[in-house]
Amino acid sequence: MPFLFSLLVIALMIGALIDIITRDNVLVKHLPKMVWIIIVILLPLVGSLLWFAIGREYGEAGIPIPRMRRSERPPARTDVRPAPPTDTRTTEQQIADLDREIEEWRLRQEIEKRRHDGEAPTGSAEAGA
């Protein structure tokens, strides 16, 4: 059994070394190729596993490995305004409400005008009595 394990470790190490040597420098991650070779030779099992896990760049058809993305700047602040309230009244109800409001304003103006006009004669009449 130990003999079989040793053969598997040696085969894994040879496979990792061949992969490191034949791989283009652009497809090697985190460390230079020479450092990866030294790691795989000095630590055959761990070095080979590290190489296949984090040292090589897999193509689109290879094993998908989730990677951390670089943090991007948060998008510019957008002006978030509350949505305008939705009016559930019908058009006829809205027109009727506007008519009542106009009538109310007209009555208020008339009351203010009467108060204003009524104060002058009332004030002088009271003064004479």
Side-chain angles (χ1 to χ4, degrees):
M1 191 67 168
F3 177 72
L4 183 62
F5 181 73
S6 299
L7 282 177
L8 288 174
V9 171
I10 290 172
L12 183 64
M13 180 183 81
I14 291 172
L17 287 173
I18 291 172
D19 191 38
I20 294 169
I21 292 169
T22 58
R23 188 158 295 276
D24 191 18
N25 286 337
V26 178
L27 300 176
V28 177
K29 297 190 312 184
H30 304 295
L31 297 171
K33 284 171 65 170
M34 187 54 80
V35 175
W36 278 114
I37 291 172
I38 292 170
I39 290 173
V40 170
I41 290 173
L42 292 178
L43 303 167
L45 180 62
V46 175
S48 299
L49 292 175
L50 282 174
W51 165 251
F52 286 113
I54 64 170
R56 70 186 303 237
E57 181 76 37
Y58 287 92
E60 293 297 322
I63 301 170
I65 297 176
R67 296 199 180 105
M68 303 240 345
R69 295 182 180 173
R70 290 184 181 176
S71 62
E72 298 176 4
R73 286 185 170 181
R77 276 190 113 171
T78 56
D79 188 18
V80 180
R81 295 181 183 172
T86 56
D87 197 354
T88 57
R89 299 177 298 168
T90 64
T91 306
E92 290 81 15
Q93 290 172 335
Q94 291 176 0
I95 292 173
D97 290 344
L98 288 174
D99 285 341
R100 275 187 294 243
E101 193 174 330
I102 290 170
E103 182 64 23
E104 182 182 341
W105 280 102
R106 190 187 62 74
L107 289 173
R108 283 185 184 180
Q109 287 178 347
E110 189 176 321
I111 290 170
E112 287 297 320
K113 183 178 178 185
R114 286 184 183 177
R115 279 186 191 164
H116 182 63
D117 291 343
E119 286 179 4
T122 314
S124 60
E126 289 177 4

